[in-house]
Amino acid sequence: MMRRKNGNKHYFTRMGTRKKVHAFVRVKPTDDFAHEMIKYGDDNKSIDIHLKKDLQRGVVNNKQTDWSFKLDGVLHNASQDLVYETVAKDLVAQALDGYNGTIMCYGQTGAGKTYTMTGATENYKHRGILPRALQQVFRMIEERPTHAITVRVSYLEIYNESLFDLLSTLPYVGPSVTPMTIVENPQGVFIKGLSVHLTNQEEDAFSLLFEGETNRIIASHTMNKNSSRSHCIFTIYVEAHSRTLSDEKYITSKINLVDLAGSERLGKSGSEGRMLKEATYINKSLSFLEQAIIALGDQKRDHIPFRQSKLTHALKDSLGGNCNMVLLTNIYGEAAQLEETLSSLRFASRMKLVTTEPAINEKYDAERMVKNLEKELALLKQELAIHDSLANRTLVNYDPMDEIQIAEINSQVRRYLEGTLHEIDIINLRQIQEVFNQFRVVLSQQEQEVESTLRRKYTLIDKNDFAAISAVQKAGLMDVDGHLVGEPDGQSFGLGVMPFSTKPGKKPKSKKMFKEQLGSSGRKEGAGSPVSGKDLEVSISKTQATPSSKEGDVKDLPLRDRETSSTEPLPLDSPKEEWRPPRPSTPPPKPVAFEDFKNERGSEINRIFKENKSILNERRKRASETTQRINAIKREMDLTKEALNFQKSIREKQGEYENKGLMIIDEEEFLLILKLKDLKKQYRAEYQDLRDLRAEIQYCQHLVDQCRHRLLTEFDIWYNESFFIPEDMQVSLKPGSSIRPGMVPVSRLVSLGEDDQDKFNQLQQRMLPEGPDSISFYNAKVKTEQKRNYLKTMMGLQQAHRK
């Protein structure tokens, strides 16, 4: 068993036995099947390829004409049900026991990879491996009432060597500010920035699947009308906790369902322009994938080139990792595609040489582990108390010491150090530890007493304070050995101050003038105090990451503001809006309507916008004040440096006094050194506050822009629905109806919903008697279609409005 640790969780991987990767082949049905060239074995686990000799090369030529490939299964004229039963069912079942799994579809373009993985969403019977895997996961969860199982999903697309989240179009996700990256840690490989979504039921999972499918990049060429132009990885994350046991152990697993883009021969596909660039990236990444597979199959290779492409890097755990791996190769059965078929079969045979080591992923919850350890500790204390009573050791106490006992031990340690106590009685291990702790306390107190005694006699400067030491060095207060005045032994720290009685002569008037000038400047600037920039109060999204480091300030926001500013739509429909005033014959000007909107339905957004704007103005004002204080401190530092140089020049003219080889300065020069040190400290503090304020200003400006965009967007929706929708259709927007504001475009408020509802009713009548389990599938499909139609119509309206 291998143990890994991360944060509050401990990861245990129960090592399994190594096994080969399973490789299956699915042949695309065709009327022009090459029976003379392609032969299947009797056990349906081998394919033989035969090519006729090319007579143009002569009678004698050594070109290979026969190939034989051993596989785990050949699926010819197989239904979607049979494909899933053969390829994926056992792998998905083991995932709920804690084993990771990966299913990969590989082959040339147009060979049926996407149909095998996703299937046809129009027909429930033709659904592919991915929706069937989701169904099996939720069916098995229902059969395991003793476990609390959580399911999450993600959908990743790799297009032209760039990572994209296919579920980022959901309203509560939004586009990522930073590009996604592949990150490795001791627990494996994960995609930073990829959204992972919790699914509580089968219909939610299907909705996420269909949402991602609508965002995939496809194109048409001569070999495939709907050719995938990117690699896609749909991942199902499973986490299972026991309901009956209080054990801290639980299991996790993930299923990677990979739909690779097909390899292309540019001469056959006829790709040009953008499609040519896409085909180049696809063929390049598939070539790197094959290189990684060849390296994994070679037992003598130490280095595996996973980092050559984003595809191999993202699948590092799946290729030769601790998971069950299945490859499904899709091929053509036509003679014209025989070269690509041979290439795909070679890849499948190489994949069979790769070995994996499936292992159960066990994790331990730190909080539950602590509770169990506390229970075990209490039981051990009880057993120890019973053992002590049987051994007549009734005075032993294993509980933590209280303040009275600690004070008694402290008193014993002090008497032992003074010599009044010859030895300390040892009772138990806890008392020994506390004795050593009190020795340390007494030693620390004595060091503080010595330091306070020195400070009463001398003016001390810490040697770790480089600013003060630098000022003293500039003033020329070091002897030939580099020791400070008042430092006879070269250790400790100190600076002697010459008393007033020993100063010769009178102070010049210029010295007094400098002193008065600095004093008045200090009084003017001393009234201002640095303002802390840590009271940021703004309305932000619940799911939005805060760029400022002051996360504690965001948590103190009022609950109402935080809920209002979340990414969910604002509750614009309320019972107060049931009564509508008579609509004017012509729409009012937008500036007038905008003022009405801000006072009525958009009042909450407008309030948040004004609050954020006021906070932004306040931060700008504070930044300006801080800048003025920094400039004032800088001017005062310059004056202090001039005065310090002036004092040094006077000391050099009058003659320098030494005491036992150490330089002596007067009190005024020493005070100037201390003042310069304090000014530098204030300057650094104010500059740090200014940097914090600038970060807050940048973040507040982002929030203000976001609120402004939200306000204008909501106004456009309200304006169209209030003045362009016919009055007899306004009832559809009343509270409690199935249509929310902004959900349906202006010209198709009723017709779209009715058309989709009619379609759904027809599907239910036709398909549900044949497949009663298909209701979640069709519910998710209809919702996705409605959203797609709505987005298309809104885009058309926006384009027409621009024209």
Side-chain angles (χ1 to χ4, degrees):
M1 180 178 291
M2 183 174 62
R3 174 175 177 176
R4 296 173 292 184
K5 183 177 180 183
N6 181 23
N8 294 330
K9 295 185 178 179
H10 300 267
Y11 299 83
F12 292 83
T13 303
R14 188 181 301 168
M15 305 306 292
T17 58
R18 300 193 69 84
K19 58 186 292 188
K20 298 282 187 180
V21 172
H22 293 290
F24 297 89
V25 170
R26 186 180 191 185
V27 184
K28 184 176 181 179
T30 177
D31 296 334
D32 191 16
F33 187 80
H35 295 281
E36 297 179 358
M37 299 181 179
I38 302 175
K39 301 289 184 182
Y40 304 131
D42 296 335
D43 57 353
N44 273 338
K45 291 188 177 180
S46 63
I47 294 182
D48 297 328
I49 307 294
H50 172 73
L51 284 178
K52 294 181 180 180
K53 283 193 175 183
D54 189 1
L55 298 179
Q56 294 179 358
R57 298 195 176 189
V59 179
V60 180
N61 64 68
N62 296 323
K63 183 179 179 181
Q64 184 177 357
T65 58
D66 295 285
W67 294 267
S68 181
F69 301 95
K70 299 292 184 181
L71 304 162
D72 292 290
V74 179
L75 302 169
H76 181 54
N77 290 331
S79 64
Q80 295 280 64
D81 291 332
L82 179 60
V83 171
Y84 184 78
E85 292 286 334
T86 306
V87 174
K89 187 174 182 180
D90 292 340
L91 183 144
V92 175
Q94 292 183 17
L96 269 75
D97 296 328
Y99 292 94
N100 293 336
T102 299
I103 302 174
M104 182 187 299
C105 286
Y106 177 88
Q108 73 176 108
T109 179
K113 299 179 298 300
T114 302
Y115 178 78
T116 300
M117 181 59 69
T118 307
T121 57
E122 293 80 10
N123 194 321
Y124 177 72
K125 289 185 177 180
H126 295 165
R127 68 196 187 281
I129 293 175
L130 211 161
R132 292 174 188 267
L134 289 172
Q135 282 185 317
Q136 182 180 351
V137 167
F138 284 99
R139 294 292 183 273
M140 295 183 68
I141 290 175
E142 294 176 357
E143 296 172 359
R144 300 190 181 190
T146 58
H147 287 77
I149 302 178
T150 304
V151 179
R152 295 177 174 85
V153 300
S154 65
Y155 212 167
L156 172 69
E157 181 183 46
I158 304 176
Y159 174 72
N160 290 354
E161 281 301 297
S162 298
L163 303 177
F164 297 96
D165 186 1
L166 289 177
L167 300 179
S168 62
T169 56
L170 295 171
Y172 54 87
V173 178
S176 177
V177 179
T178 58
M180 293 191 296
T181 56
I182 302 175
V183 181
E184 294 187 41
N185 59 19
Q187 287 72 50
V189 178
F190 71 97
I191 310 300
K192 184 178 181 181
L194 180 65
S195 61
V196 180
H197 304 264
L198 176 66
T199 57
N200 296 319
Q201 55 186 354
E202 188 178 314
E203 184 178 335
D204 296 339
F206 283 142
S207 297
L208 294 172
L209 169 62
F210 296 147
E211 176 71 22
E213 287 296 317
T214 58
N215 297 326
R216 289 190 62 174
I217 298 176
I218 61 174
S220 176
H221 54 72
T222 56
M223 298 186 64
N224 190 358
K225 293 182 179 180
N226 296 309
S227 174
S228 300
R229 313 308 295 168
S230 60
H231 310 297
C232 293
I233 304 174
F234 188 92
T235 306
I236 306 173
Y237 307 88
V238 181
E239 183 176 310
H241 295 259
S242 176
R243 297 180 188 270
T244 57
L245 302 176
S246 61
D247 192 5
E248 63 273 6
K249 180 177 69 175
Y250 64 97
I251 60 174
T252 62
S253 62
K254 65 178 181 180
I255 308 172
N256 290 321
L257 301 167
V258 186
D259 181 15
L260 298 176
S263 59
E264 296 183 20
R265 286 185 180 269
L266 301 180
K268 291 184 178 181
S269 64
S271 299
E272 296 178 353
R274 180 177 62 86
M275 292 180 60
L276 176 61
K277 179 182 178 182
E278 294 169 349
T280 304
Y281 276 106
I282 292 171
N283 292 337
K284 183 179 178 182
S285 62
L286 292 177
S287 176
F288 288 144
L289 174 63
E290 188 166 4
Q291 291 178 18
I293 296 302
I294 293 173
L296 287 168
D298 187 358
Q299 301 297 329
K300 298 180 181 179
R301 289 282 294 269
D302 294 330
H303 172 69
I304 311 298
F306 285 118
R307 293 178 178 266
Q308 285 184 325
S309 69
K310 298 289 180 63
L311 176 63
T312 53
H313 197 185
L315 295 176
K316 182 178 179 180
D317 289 343
S318 302
L319 303 174
N322 62 333
C323 73
N324 295 309
M325 178 73 183
V326 175
L327 173 70
L328 183 56
T329 305
N330 295 83
I331 63 173
Y332 275 100
E334 299 176 359
Q337 310 296 336
L338 206 56
E339 292 184 5
E340 288 80 3
T341 298
L342 281 173
S343 177
S344 299
L345 291 174
R346 289 192 190 99
F347 182 85
S349 62
R350 288 167 183 153
M351 181 65 84
K352 278 186 63 64
L353 299 177
V354 178
T355 59
T356 61
E357 192 172 356
I360 298 178
N361 299 300
E362 297 178 348
K363 295 183 181 180
Y364 286 78
D365 190 350
E367 294 182 2
R368 186 173 292 185
M369 186 183 295
V370 169
K371 292 180 180 179
N372 292 340
L373 289 176
E374 289 176 349
K375 292 180 182 179
E376 185 177 358
L377 181 61
L379 292 175
L380 291 175
K381 284 184 177 180
Q382 294 176 2
E383 293 181 2
L384 193 57
I386 294 174
H387 176 75
D388 291 338
S389 63
L390 294 176
N392 294 324
R393 298 177 61 195
T394 57
L395 298 178
V396 179
N397 184 14
Y398 298 98
D399 294 329
M401 291 188 174
D402 55 16
E403 296 180 357
I404 298 177
Q405 293 172 329
I406 294 174
E408 176 62 26
I409 293 176
N410 183 276
S411 175
Q412 293 177 0
V413 168
R414 290 183 180 277
R415 285 183 289 155
Y416 179 79
L417 293 174
E418 293 170 356
T420 58
L421 182 66
H422 296 289
E423 61 182 16
I424 300 175
D425 296 331
I426 301 302
I427 301 175
N428 54 26
L429 180 61
R430 193 183 299 273
Q431 186 238 7
I432 295 175
Q433 294 175 343
E434 188 60 37
V435 166
F436 281 104
N437 185 40
Q438 293 303 318
F439 269 110
R440 183 170 55 195
V441 170
V442 172
L443 178 61
S444 176
Q445 291 176 351
Q446 290 179 352
E447 289 178 350
Q448 293 177 1
E449 291 175 359
V450 171
E451 183 178 349
S452 62
T453 302
L454 291 174
R455 288 187 180 278
R456 286 195 298 268
K457 296 181 179 180
Y458 304 98
T459 301
L460 305 179
I461 295 179
D462 192 349
K463 274 195 172 182
N464 293 325
D465 192 346
F466 297 105
I469 293 177
S470 176
V472 173
Q473 288 176 345
K474 291 180 180 179
L477 303 181
M478 291 287 185
D479 61 4
V480 292
D481 297 328
H483 297 158
L484 296 173
V485 178
E487 187 181 18
D489 58 352
Q491 300 176 357
S492 181
F493 45 80
L495 183 67
V497 179
M498 182 177 65
F500 288 98
S501 59
T502 60
K503 288 195 229 176
K506 297 182 181 179
K507 290 190 289 183
K509 294 183 180 180
S510 58
K511 186 186 300 183
K512 183 178 179 181
M513 179 180 65
F514 269 111
K515 184 175 180 181
E516 290 177 354
Q517 184 177 4
L518 292 175
S520 60
S521 176
R523 284 192 298 270
K524 289 180 182 178
E525 299 297 334
S529 60
V531 181
S532 174
K534 301 183 179 179
D535 55 347
L536 178 62
E537 296 179 359
V538 291
S539 302
I540 64 167
S541 166
K542 290 179 180 177
T543 60
Q544 181 180 352
T546 307
S548 174
S549 61
K550 302 175 178 57
E551 296 178 356
D553 307 325
V554 177
K555 297 179 181 178
D556 297 335
L557 291 175
L559 180 61
R560 179 181 175 190
D561 288 352
R562 284 189 288 170
E563 291 179 349
T564 306
S565 60
S566 67
T567 55
E568 300 176 358
L570 290 173
L572 299 178
D573 48 350
S574 61
K576 296 180 180 179
E577 293 183 359
E578 292 184 0
W579 178 84
R580 294 177 179 271
R583 190 169 62 184
S585 57
T586 57
K590 279 199 171 184
V592 177
F594 187 59
E595 295 299 326
D596 296 338
F597 172 77
K598 290 193 297 184
N599 295 329
E600 296 175 0
R601 218 164 79 176
S603 59
E604 189 66 15
I605 308 177
N606 189 41
R607 182 187 64 82
I608 297 174
F609 173 73
K610 289 182 177 179
E611 289 180 359
N612 289 343
K613 197 169 182 180
S614 63
I615 294 174
L616 175 62
N617 294 332
E618 189 267 338
R619 291 298 184 274
R620 286 175 174 170
K621 181 180 179 182
R622 285 172 50 182
S624 176
E625 295 174 353
T626 305
T627 304
Q628 294 177 3
R629 289 198 299 273
I630 290 176
N631 294 333
I633 294 174
K634 183 65 171 63
R635 289 193 297 268
E636 191 170 357
M637 287 171 58
D638 295 338
L639 293 175
T640 306
K641 288 179 181 178
E642 291 179 4
L644 192 59
N645 293 332
F646 181 76
Q647 290 287 338
K648 182 179 178 181
S649 62
I650 293 177
R651 175 165 48 83
E652 292 175 352
K653 291 179 180 179
Q654 294 180 349
E656 297 178 342
Y657 293 88
E658 295 184 358
N659 183 13
K660 296 181 180 181
L662 300 178
M663 187 67 60
I664 299 177
I665 63 174
D666 61 2
E667 182 181 7
E668 188 169 357
E669 187 173 354
F670 176 68
L671 291 176
L672 287 174
I673 294 174
L674 293 182
K675 183 176 183 180
L676 183 61
K677 172 187 171 183
D678 293 337
L679 288 173
K680 288 182 178 180
K681 184 176 180 181
Q682 292 179 20
Y683 183 85
R684 287 193 294 267
E686 292 288 348
Y687 185 74
Q688 183 62 37
D689 289 342
L690 181 61
R691 292 183 60 184
D692 294 341
L693 284 171
R694 286 175 178 173
E696 293 176 8
I697 289 171
Q698 183 179 3
Y699 180 53
C700 290
Q701 184 65 53
H702 170 71
L703 291 179
V704 169
D705 294 341
Q706 191 177 28
C707 288
R708 183 184 292 109
H709 176 72
R710 181 74 177 278
L711 185 64
L712 295 175
T713 303
E714 296 289 345
F715 168 71
D716 288 337
I717 295 173
W718 172 81
Y719 188 79
N720 290 331
E721 292 176 350
S722 299
F723 302 106
F724 290 98
I725 296 177
E727 293 186 1
D728 55 347
M729 296 182 183
Q730 291 282 352
V731 68
S732 301
L733 293 177
K734 284 187 176 181
S737 63
S738 59
I739 301 177
R740 292 182 288 103
M743 180 177 178
V744 182
V746 176
S747 60
R748 302 184 62 189
L749 178 63
V750 178
S751 59
L752 252 181
E754 291 176 350
D755 291 344
D756 289 334
Q757 189 64 36
D758 291 340
K759 290 180 183 178
F760 180 60
N761 292 335
Q762 293 173 7
L763 286 173
Q764 280 186 323
Q765 295 174 4
R766 185 173 71 253
M767 301 303 299
L768 288 184
E770 300 178 5
D773 294 335
S774 63
I775 184 168
S776 299
F777 183 86
Y778 283 115
N779 276 338
K781 179 180 179 300
V782 169
K783 290 180 180 178
T784 306
E785 289 293 333
Q786 288 177 347
K787 181 179 178 181
R788 184 189 304 174
N789 293 336
Y790 166 68
L791 293 176
K792 288 183 179 178
T793 308
M794 287 299 296
M795 289 178 63
L797 286 174
Q798 291 177 359
Q799 293 177 359
H801 180 68
R802 290 173 184 172
K803 292 180 180 179

